[in-house]
Amino acid sequence: MTGRATRGRRAMTLTAVALLAALIVAGALGSVRIPPADVVKILLNRLGADFPATWPRTWEAILWDVRFPRVAMGALVGMGLSVAGAAYQGLFRNPLADPSVIGASAGASLGAALAIAFFDRVPSLTGLWRLGPVPLFAFAGGVAAVLVAFRLATAGRQTSTVSLLLAGMVVSSVATSLVSLIMYFTDSQARDAIVFWLMGGLSGANWPKAAWLLPYLALGLGLLLWDGRELNAFLLGEEAALSMGVDVERLKRRILAAGSLLTAAAVAFCGIISFVGLIVPHLVRLLVGPDHRWLLPVAAVAGSVVLVAADTVARSLPWVSELPVGLVMSLIGGPVFLVILRRQLLPGS
């Protein structure tokens, strides 16, 4: 137990330092290059330090109005997707499980497509509508898809994980088909907007959106971190967990609710970003092992690092103004996951 705690603390320290470095690099890189030392000074000045302003005032506006909101959004989304993926992999005892496994991402895609096709030109109103119809419809669609999958997989008070996986596949397939149908009948402008949303991106990030996302992620993360010890029991199977005193059905509902909340909130503003919730838990297991009491918090920080770094690459390539971060994650995450698959899941190959 002491060895696990030591590994966990070391991994947490390593990922926290990596996140700080990723924040500084993300602030420095872009169409306007800002020296990393000045990024640190500007950040510390905002926190109460008093370094003399030897840099142009426009740099402060670039950092606080453009880059840091994007970094904050990327960190929150990466955190939510990584923890949801780690929790689902433990719950389903399936290393291929990811945040989209029970339909949240497909449902969010359907909600976003509906909003873009039919409501995106509605004038801004007060309240939540100021965020725009797309994230609101996407969030509602993700939650609704999970509820449908859960209802289909539940018989009485029992919910089979196998049935839930199958129901999630069916709901995802139907939602994806409906998105294709909407794209077929809508005009080219809306169709292009839907395709761009599906690629996943952080270009629309701002402080109000990050503030809206924060409480949902805090609630979902809090629930999953609280259940880390009981989630460890699932590694031995449901019957073993039940014999250890775990209320299996209640724990399933909590994990599914928290993971779905994280996924729906994360994709609502940023679209579909693949592989974060799939590869980050695998990488973190190499550092801390399968103990969810350390796996979940370290995965949260590591997911932030991965997505912030990927977004920095996406907007800093010299031959293109900006690539969708979801596309970058797919291009990088696919080969990385194949390497992990061969080394960890197929050790004899």
Side-chain angles (χ1 to χ4, degrees):
M1 186 65 66
T2 302
R4 289 183 182 180
T6 300
R7 290 172 62 188
R9 282 192 288 268
R10 288 176 179 173
M12 182 62 74
T13 301
L14 176 64
T15 52
V17 172
L19 180 58
L20 180 60
L23 184 153
I24 295 172
V25 172
L29 296 182
S31 58
V32 176
R33 299 298 176 95
I34 301 175
D38 288 334
V39 173
V40 174
K41 291 178 182 178
I42 292 171
L43 178 61
L44 292 178
N45 276 0
R46 184 57 66 98
L47 297 177
D50 191 23
F51 290 102
T54 57
W55 50 81
R57 290 294 181 183
T58 54
W59 287 6
E60 295 185 16
I62 290 172
L63 287 177
W64 288 110
D65 297 336
V66 179
R67 293 184 185 172
F68 281 165
R70 188 164 177 155
V71 169
M73 182 70 78
L76 292 174
V77 170
M79 185 180 298
L81 293 176
S82 298
V83 174
Y88 282 165
Q89 289 172 12
L91 177 64
F92 293 110
R93 301 191 302 283
N94 187 333
L96 299 179
D98 72 352
S100 65
V101 71
I102 56 175
S105 295
S109 299
L110 177 57
L114 288 169
I116 292 171
F118 302 111
F119 297 98
D120 206 21
R121 297 179 180 87
V122 175
S124 298
L125 301 175
T126 58
L128 285 176
W129 198 264
R130 287 181 299 177
L131 296 172
V134 175
L136 298 178
F137 274 68
F139 180 75
V143 172
V146 171
L147 291 176
V148 171
F150 183 80
R151 185 67 187 90
L152 291 173
T154 301
R157 294 187 177 181
Q158 302 294 316
T159 304
S160 167
T161 53
V162 175
S163 298
L164 189 59
L165 286 172
L166 294 174
M169 291 176 59
V170 172
V171 170
S172 295
S173 179
V174 172
T176 301
S177 298
L178 291 174
V179 171
S180 299
L181 188 65
I182 292 171
M183 293 174 64
Y184 183 82
F185 284 109
T186 193
D187 59 79
S188 60
Q189 182 179 356
R191 190 181 305 121
D192 291 344
I194 293 172
V195 171
F196 186 78
W197 190 92
L198 292 174
M199 289 182 182
L202 297 170
S203 58
N206 55 41
W207 289 119
K209 291 180 179 179
W212 186 93
L213 184 59
L214 185 59
Y216 291 94
L217 290 181
L219 177 59
L221 287 171
L223 289 173
L224 291 178
L225 294 175
W226 179 266
D227 289 328
R229 183 187 297 272
E230 292 186 336
L231 194 55
N232 284 341
F234 264 82
L235 299 177
L236 305 174
E238 290 188 24
E239 293 184 0
L242 189 63
S243 67
M244 296 169 64
V246 176
D247 188 337
V248 171
E249 293 303 318
R250 183 180 179 185
L251 180 62
K252 283 182 187 177
R253 289 176 170 83
R254 287 206 306 268
I255 298 299
L256 292 172
S260 301
L261 182 65
L262 289 175
T263 304
V267 303
F269 289 111
C270 303
I272 307 301
I273 300 178
S274 303
F275 285 102
V276 177
L278 184 61
I279 65 173
V280 171
H282 284 286
L283 294 174
V284 172
R285 284 191 190 92
L286 299 178
L287 296 175
V288 303
D291 189 343
H292 288 86
R293 291 173 297 178
W294 287 105
L295 174 62
L296 294 176
V298 176
V301 183
S304 298
V305 174
V306 167
L307 195 54
V308 169
D311 184 60
T312 303
V313 172
R315 60 180 176 79
S316 302
L317 296 175
W319 59 86
V320 64
S321 60
E322 180 177 336
L323 285 176
V325 68
L327 180 59
V328 173
M329 277 304 308
S330 296
L331 292 173
I332 297 174
V336 170
F337 184 70
L338 287 177
V339 172
I340 297 173
L341 184 71
R342 290 188 62 84
R343 291 186 177 182
Q344 300 299 318
L345 305 182
L346 301 172
S349 62

